DNA sequence: AACACCGCGTTTTTT
DNA sequence: ACGCGGTGTT
């Protein structure tokens, strides 16, 4: 058989992983070493050479994007049909299992998925109903605690309440939250994993079935697995499946949301006779960039050890720019991008990366001034927008009347005279009966305990939903969405908002209808009614944040969202201690190491040109901060970096880039000053050196002004 | 029910 | 600085 198409493009180590005998594999794959390629080729090898049935293969990733990419690449590479092959996210696959075995899992057939926003609302509601002090127990912390328990496989009743008041309160809320989810047929994200894990433990026959079926489990980005995902994998693997995991401990950047790098080490103990393969040849970056990355990450202890190398020698040095402030930094970056564009290069081959979203603004302003198109990643995603969730809320109720999250959301949106009092009565009744809000509302209407007006309004809402369900029968998905949006009154509701806002709302609702028209259920949802499949899709796959992807524009994103991407020209901005590494990560060594890995991820995004920059002064949260250059800069070897515009007293790497503050005499930021023309003001900022030193003063009567210090004749007050 | 005001938090993000 | 959410006013 000709297997050359599976092996030709691979190096020796990659081949070792792709065509090795069956068994467990731990592939430590450095950045840019062809990790996804290896995974996809392994699948192709199993199917085409080893003649493994596609039904025996399960490939898992973390994001929908990665899953989609893997599926597409498989289909492209494979000659044999891939029907039956399961490729998906942990959550997607858990969801599929629960739909198939909802009875055994103790879920209603039409259970719905709630996103973190719905979850938070539910928790807020519970805190109020139980009159828990939200100051003492912030809802977000409660949410985190509940998810943390679930991610560690713990139900409320499994946890020892102990004698800590705080833990007890948390547990009480957790228990109530579980109760409400059960009664309304709702599952949050963590629930999908926990429930399907329990399903296997409690239904040995079912587990045996899947263990017999899936002889080959493959996992991408293995370093990102959390406790329940790892447990899930172990249970499914049993004693006989072959488990093939690919990951990079140096790119573990999600510890703060439960990912455990330790699983990489643990894997070798838990899965006997694991073949260890290291992919260290990098096909992305020049050697100067790689040398910088290697040197940086070498400062982390406890690594499994890996050194990237490349056949590409030399290349540009890594440029470091010391900016006066964030505006200077942005100007510098944009000027380099302008040069890049002037060379005829593509804008979308360049990326500005930063630690936190707030840093994007200054760059956006600078790009706008120069009319350079850009795209900022992150932000509200399509299916998370209020008008979209409202529209879907109506449809969710037609599918499952007990969906309390949807009920709460749309019962009085648009306003239809069902105020807080009325909804309060419904909640009270539901809690008393342990029923859903819908059932409680029905009961209240028939029992005549409500005054006429509220009762009519509530009854009107219930019949609206009933009628809606009736009217949706036999319509196709797009028409169903359109009908629901029109019947709900949401269009008129949003028309009352300011024109510009109403416009985007309209567009989004139109886009939702459009999404319905083009929706094609995946193979894994073929069993579901179309509407249910669409609702699950909306919850599990929230969609891109911004459109206009196809336009050629400068890419801007956080370092976290840059993982997995690559660009010829990369700017890593805000390299100051306190910004990056983030100040909240400075106290613990573990967190600092994760920040360093994040920096490593950032550096290894660059193919040819890498600029690192920091600002001596940066305005954040309305205050000025004067910070040291990031410690990460001093960890880079001198011979691969080049300082741009080196200035007097720039220290050598190793001592940090300590800069003397611009000399503004005896003035300091925040000082009150008086000016002969502008009157009294406060010093906000300063920049520049020597005679060009400028100072920014916010005057009470004239606003903020930049003044050249030597001409300003300011008087300190 | 719509609107104004006040106080708080503010790293990273996917499902 | 800024936006969001909760509270209070008309």
């Amino acid at each position: 058989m000709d297997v050359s198409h599976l092996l030709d493009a691979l190096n020796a180590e990659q081949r070792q992983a792709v065509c090795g005998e069956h068994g467990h594999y731990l592939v430590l794959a450095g950045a840019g070493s062809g990790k996804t390629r290896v995974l996809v080729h392994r699948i192709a090898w199993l199917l085409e050479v080893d003649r493994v049935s596609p039904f025996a293969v399960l490939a898992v990733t973390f994001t929908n994007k990665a899953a989609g990419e893997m599926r597409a690449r498989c289909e492209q590479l494979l000659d044999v049909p891939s029907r039956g092959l399961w490729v998906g996210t942990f959550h997607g696959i858990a969801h599929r299992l629960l739909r198939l075995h909802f009875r055994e899992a103790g879920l209603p057939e039409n259970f719905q998925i709630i996103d973190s926003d719905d979850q938070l609302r539910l928790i807020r509601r519970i805190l109020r109903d139980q009159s828990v002090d939200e100051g003492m127990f912030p809802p977000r912390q409660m949410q985190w605690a509940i998810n943390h328990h679930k991610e560690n496989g713990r139900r409320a009743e499994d946890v020892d309440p102990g004698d800590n008041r705080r833990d007890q309160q948390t547990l009480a809320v957790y228990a109530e939250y579980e109760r409400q989810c059960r009664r309304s047929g709702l599952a949050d994200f963590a629930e999908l994993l926990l429930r399907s894990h329990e399903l296997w433990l409690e239904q040995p026959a079912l587990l045996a079935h899947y263990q017999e079926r899936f002889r080959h489990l493959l996992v991408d980005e293995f370093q990102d697995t959390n406790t329940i995902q790892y447990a899930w994998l172990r249970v499914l693997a049993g004693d006989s499946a072959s488990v093939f995991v690919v990951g990079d401990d140096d790119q573990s950047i999600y510890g703060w949301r439960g990912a455990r790098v330790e699983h990489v080490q643990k894997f070798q103990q838990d899965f006997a006779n694991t073949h260890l393969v290291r992919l260290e040849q990098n096909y992305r970056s020049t050697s100067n960039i790689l040398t910088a990355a290697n040197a940086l990450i070498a400062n982390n202890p406890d690594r499994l050890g890996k050194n990237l190398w490349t056949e590409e020698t030399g290349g540009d040095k890594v440029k470091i720019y010391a900016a006066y402030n964030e505006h200077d930094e942005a100007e510098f970056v944009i000027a380099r991008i302008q040069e890049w564009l002037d060379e005829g290069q593509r804008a979308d081959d360049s990326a500005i990366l930063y630690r936190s979203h707030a840093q994007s603004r200054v760059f956006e302003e600078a790009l706008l001034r120069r009319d350079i198109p850009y795209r900022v990643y992150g932000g509200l995603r399509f299916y998370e927008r209020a008008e979209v969730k409202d529209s879907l809320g109506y449809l969710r109720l037609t599918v499952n009347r007990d969906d309390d999250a949807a009920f709460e959301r749309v019962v009085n949106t648009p306003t239809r005279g069902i105020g807080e009092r009325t909804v309060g009565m419904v909640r009270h009744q539901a809690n008393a009966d342990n029923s859903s809000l819908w059932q409680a509302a029905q009961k209240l209407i028939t029992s005549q305990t409500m005054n006429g007006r509220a009762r009519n309004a509530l009854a009107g809402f219930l019949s609206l939903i009933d009628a809606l369900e009736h009217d949706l029968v036999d319509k196709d998905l797009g028409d169903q969405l359109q009908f629901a949006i029109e019947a709900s009154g949401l269009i008129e509701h949003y028309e009352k908002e300011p024109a510009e806002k109403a416009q985007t709302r309209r567009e989004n609702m139109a886009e939702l209808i459009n999404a319905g028209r083009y929706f094609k259920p995946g193979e894994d949802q073929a069993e579901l009614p179309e509407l249910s499949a669409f609702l699950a899709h909306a919850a599990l796959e929230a969609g891109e944040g911004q459109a206009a992807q196809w336009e050629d524009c400068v890419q801007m994103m956080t370092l976290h969202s840059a993982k997995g991407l690559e660009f010829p020209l990369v700017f890593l901005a805000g390299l100051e201690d306190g910004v990056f590494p983030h100040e909240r990560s400075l106290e613990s060594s573990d967190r600092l190491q994760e920040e360093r890995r994040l920096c490593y991820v950032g550096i290894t995004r660059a193919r040819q040109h890498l600029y690192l920059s920091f600002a001596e002064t940066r305005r954040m949260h309305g205050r000025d901060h004067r910070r040291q250059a990031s410690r990460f800069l001093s960890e880079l070897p001198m011979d691969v970096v080049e300082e741009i515009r080196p200035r007097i007293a720039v220290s050598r790497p190793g001592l940090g880039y300590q800069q003397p503050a611009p000399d503004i005499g005896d003035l300091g930021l925040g000082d009150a000053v008086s000016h002969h023309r502008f009157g009294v003001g406060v010093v906000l900022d300063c920049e520049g050196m020597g005679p060009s030193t400028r100072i920014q003063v916010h005057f009470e009567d004239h606003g903020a002004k930049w003044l050249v210090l030597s001409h300003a004749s300011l008087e300190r007050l």
Side-chain angles (χ1 to χ4, degrees):
Chain A
M1 174 199 303
D2 180 22
V3 294
S4 57
H5 69 294
L6 294 181
L7 296 179
D8 275 357
L10 303 181
N11 65 35
E13 291 74 32
Q14 291 173 332
R15 285 182 193 195
Q16 201 190 327
V18 166
C19 44
E21 62 189 56
H22 293 182
H24 305 314
Y25 283 79
L26 172 59
V27 181
L28 294 176
S33 65
K35 140 182 97 66
T36 308
R37 157 176 290 189
V38 163
L39 216 140
V40 169
H41 281 243
R42 174 67 174 183
I43 294 174
W45 183 269
L46 291 172
L47 299 189
E48 296 195 350
V49 180
D50 295 343
R51 293 285 158 198
V52 169
S53 158
F55 285 88
V57 178
L58 172 66
V60 205
T61 63
F62 284 84
T63 65
N64 292 300
K65 198 174 157 203
E69 203 177 300
M70 191 183 295
R71 181 182 298 275
R73 285 174 69 168
C74 276
E75 274 164 20
Q76 198 187 2
L77 188 65
L78 284 173
D79 288 333
V80 298
S82 61
R83 257 189 69 83
L85 180 74
W86 279 29
V87 179
T89 62
F90 276 104
H91 291 88
I93 285 163
H95 174 244
R96 184 173 183 180
L97 286 165
L98 293 177
R99 288 281 174 209
L100 286 170
H101 308 290
F102 64 90
R103 259 185 223 97
E104 294 91 327
L107 286 166
E109 178 166 16
N110 50 10
F111 75 89
Q112 300 286 306
I113 302 167
I114 53 170
D115 64 17
S116 4
D117 187 60
D118 296 330
Q119 184 185 39
L120 188 62
R121 284 160 184 270
L122 257 169
I123 291 167
R124 279 220 172 90
R125 185 75 259 148
I126 291 168
L127 291 175
R128 287 185 162 197
D129 288 349
Q130 302 197 342
S131 11
V132 179
D133 179 1
E134 294 195 20
M136 292 275 289
F137 297 91
R140 297 201 154 275
Q141 272 182 36
M142 279 289 171
Q143 182 184 27
W144 183 87
I146 290 171
N147 285 334
H148 189 69
H149 278 311
K150 289 192 174 195
E151 279 159 13
N152 283 290
R154 297 187 295 261
R155 292 287 176 194
E157 72 256 24
D158 301 334
V159 187
D160 172 14
D163 47 14
N164 178 319
R165 194 54 205 90
R166 222 181 160 72
D167 296 348
Q168 288 169 351
Q169 182 63 265
T170 305
L171 271 184
V173 175
Y174 181 17
E176 176 61 16
Y177 171 75
E178 263 190 62
R179 190 175 73 92
Q180 292 200 11
C181 284
R182 275 173 207 269
R183 80 174 190 207
S184 14
L186 298 176
D188 59 48
F189 292 129
E191 182 72 25
L192 297 173
L193 293 165
L194 178 55
R195 189 67 73 104
S196 64
H197 183 243
E198 288 170 349
L199 172 69
W200 281 333
L201 297 186
E202 287 158 18
Q203 308 279 336
L206 204 65
L207 174 62
H209 166 79
Y210 282 104
Q211 285 179 335
E212 257 163 62
R213 169 174 175 175
F214 292 121
R215 310 305 299 157
H216 296 273
L217 310 179
L218 300 95
V219 186
D220 196 9
E221 303 280 14
F222 181 67
Q223 76 283 349
D224 289 338
T225 46
N226 67 26
T227 308
I228 189 77
Q229 286 161 337
Y230 187 75
W232 188 94
L233 199 65
R234 275 192 73 184
V235 169
L236 178 59
D239 297 326
S240 52
S242 293
V243 185
F244 187 99
V245 304
V246 185
D248 182 0
D249 54 323
D250 290 332
Q251 291 189 73
S252 162
I253 55 174
Y254 287 113
W256 51 273
R257 67 172 197 213
R260 295 273 79 95
V261 212
E262 301 89 296
H263 291 153
V264 178
Q265 280 108 327
K266 216 161 166 265
F267 185 83
Q268 294 186 83
Q269 300 153 25
D270 291 343
F271 296 86
N273 305 318
T274 293
H275 302 267
L276 180 67
V277 180
R278 280 194 166 81
L279 304 183
E280 297 179 294
Q281 181 174 4
N282 174 292
Y283 295 94
R284 180 184 294 157
S285 311
T286 63
S287 77
N288 279 338
I289 292 170
L290 279 190
T291 306
N294 282 332
L296 175 89
I297 201 66
N299 290 284
N300 271 3
D302 309 325
R303 297 172 59 221
L304 289 174
K306 201 166 16 61
N307 226 19
L308 290 179
W309 61 277
T310 175
E311 287 174 352
E312 305 286 317
T313 50
D316 276 11
K317 291 205 168 176
V318 176
K319 312 277 202 325
I320 296 179
Y321 179 70
Y324 297 126
N325 59 22
E326 73 271 27
H327 299 288
D328 180 27
E329 180 182 48
E331 285 306 325
F332 171 79
V333 169
I334 306 314
R336 299 289 81 69
I337 290 178
Q338 189 65 62
E339 287 170 10
W340 174 257
L341 298 176
D342 292 345
E343 283 171 29
Q345 303 283 0
R346 291 183 60 86
D348 61 7
D349 277 340
S350 67
I352 306 172
L353 312 181
Y354 35 77
R355 181 59 176 72
S356 58
H357 287 299
Q359 289 167 256
S360 75
R361 244 183 73 170
V362 189
F363 292 102
E364 287 186 70
E365 285 163 6
L367 285 160
L368 277 173
R369 274 200 296 278
R370 303 254 192 144
D371 269 329
I372 300 175
Y374 64 88
R375 175 176 185 227
V376 184
Y377 285 73
L380 251 202
R381 306 165 77 205
F382 183 72
Y383 288 107
E384 287 166 356
R385 292 175 189 179
E387 60 276 23
V388 174
K389 289 197 73 170
D390 287 343
S391 308
L392 293 178
Y394 283 92
L395 291 161
R396 284 168 53 149
L397 279 177
T398 67
V399 170
N400 174 9
R401 297 289 195 286
D402 298 332
D403 184 336
D404 286 355
F407 188 101
E408 288 264 11
R409 180 158 195 116
V410 301
V411 64
N412 202 31
T413 311
T415 44
R416 47 173 70 91
I418 307 176
E420 192 48 39
R421 268 191 82 84
T422 312
V423 181
M425 284 176 74
V426 178
R427 283 192 204 109
H428 186 80
Q429 188 66 47
N431 284 337
D433 299 349
N434 194 25
S435 73
S436 67
L437 295 173
W438 179 273
Q439 289 162 16
Q442 277 185 321
K443 188 167 170 186
L444 283 173
I445 288 165
T446 41
S447 71
Q448 311 271 330
T449 46
M450 277 175 134
N451 74 52
R453 213 163 153 185
R455 207 178 119 226
N456 283 339
L458 194 56
F461 174 67
L462 298 198
S463 38
L464 171 70
I465 300 295
D466 284 337
L468 184 57
E469 185 192 14
H470 178 79
D471 291 329
L472 294 182
V473 175
D474 290 334
K475 285 194 165 57
D476 67 41
L477 186 54
D479 290 342
Q480 288 184 327
L481 286 161
Q482 181 163 15
F483 193 92
I485 289 169
E486 280 163 9
S488 64
L490 282 172
I491 296 177
E492 298 78 13
H493 172 69
Y494 281 118
E495 280 311 315
K496 290 180 202 140
E497 292 193 344
E500 208 174 312
K501 236 178 169 176
Q503 167 81 9
T504 38
R505 304 267 197 214
R506 264 202 310 277
E507 285 169 6
N508 284 330
M509 289 189 279
E511 184 53 40
L512 177 63
I513 295 167
N514 203 33
R517 300 217 187 281
Y518 290 97
F519 179 68
K520 230 177 101 262
E523 199 186 322
D524 53 330
Q525 292 173 329
E527 309 89 358
L528 282 177
E530 203 179 23
L531 178 54
S532 301
F534 184 73
L535 292 173
H537 160 85
L540 282 173
E541 212 167 323
E544 282 289 314
Q546 317 248 320
Q549 208 177 346
W550 49 87
E551 252 186 278
D552 177 31
C553 45
V554 175
Q555 311 288 299
M556 294 173 57
M557 66 195 84
T558 63
L559 286 155
H560 281 89
S561 25
K563 193 167 83 150
L565 305 177
E566 59 175 44
F567 308 91
L569 172 62
V570 168
F571 298 89
L572 227 168
L575 277 150
E576 295 124 53
D577 254 32
V579 175
F580 187 33
H582 194 275
E583 55 192 346
R584 297 206 190 173
S585 303
L586 291 174
E587 40 280 2
S588 110
S589 150
D590 281 354
R591 297 178 131 217
L592 187 64
Q593 285 184 47
E594 185 155 303
E595 294 283 307
R596 189 176 282 111
R597 294 194 289 267
L598 192 56
C599 188
Y600 175 80
V601 166
I603 291 174
T604 54
R605 295 313 92 195
R607 292 174 57 173
Q608 289 140 29
H609 312 287
L610 174 63
Y611 287 88
L612 310 176
S613 59
F614 65 96
E616 290 161 3
T617 306
R618 179 180 299 275
R619 192 162 195 146
M620 283 182 100
H621 318 296
R623 302 186 148 277
D624 271 316
H625 298 267
R626 196 168 283 281
R627 304 191 200 258
Q628 304 262 327
S630 172
R631 62 193 68 194
F632 298 150
L633 285 175
S634 55
E635 294 173 4
L636 304 179
M638 283 183 77
D639 56 330
V640 298
V641 305
E642 177 186 325
E643 288 175 48
I644 300 195
R645 201 225 273 169
R647 296 192 286 146
I648 329 136
V650 168
S651 55
R652 57 184 181 80
L655 294 178
Y657 285 77
Q658 284 171 342
Q659 287 294 320
D663 183 6
I664 50 173
D666 54 355
L667 291 176
L669 301 178
D671 284 356
V673 293
S674 133
H675 184 272
H676 65 95
R677 247 181 72 209
F678 298 125
V680 179
V682 175
V683 179
L684 289 179
D685 209 346
C686 55
E687 70 165 24
M689 304 290 284
S692 67
T693 305
R694 297 195 310 149
I695 182 167
Q696 189 188 34
V697 183
H698 185 88
F699 292 104
E700 280 171 14
D701 300 328
H702 296 85
K705 298 239 180 270
W706 278 102
L707 307 168
V708 176
L709 184 64
S710 49
H711 299 296
S713 63
L714 290 165
E715 195 184 326
R716 193 170 158 202
L717 296 177

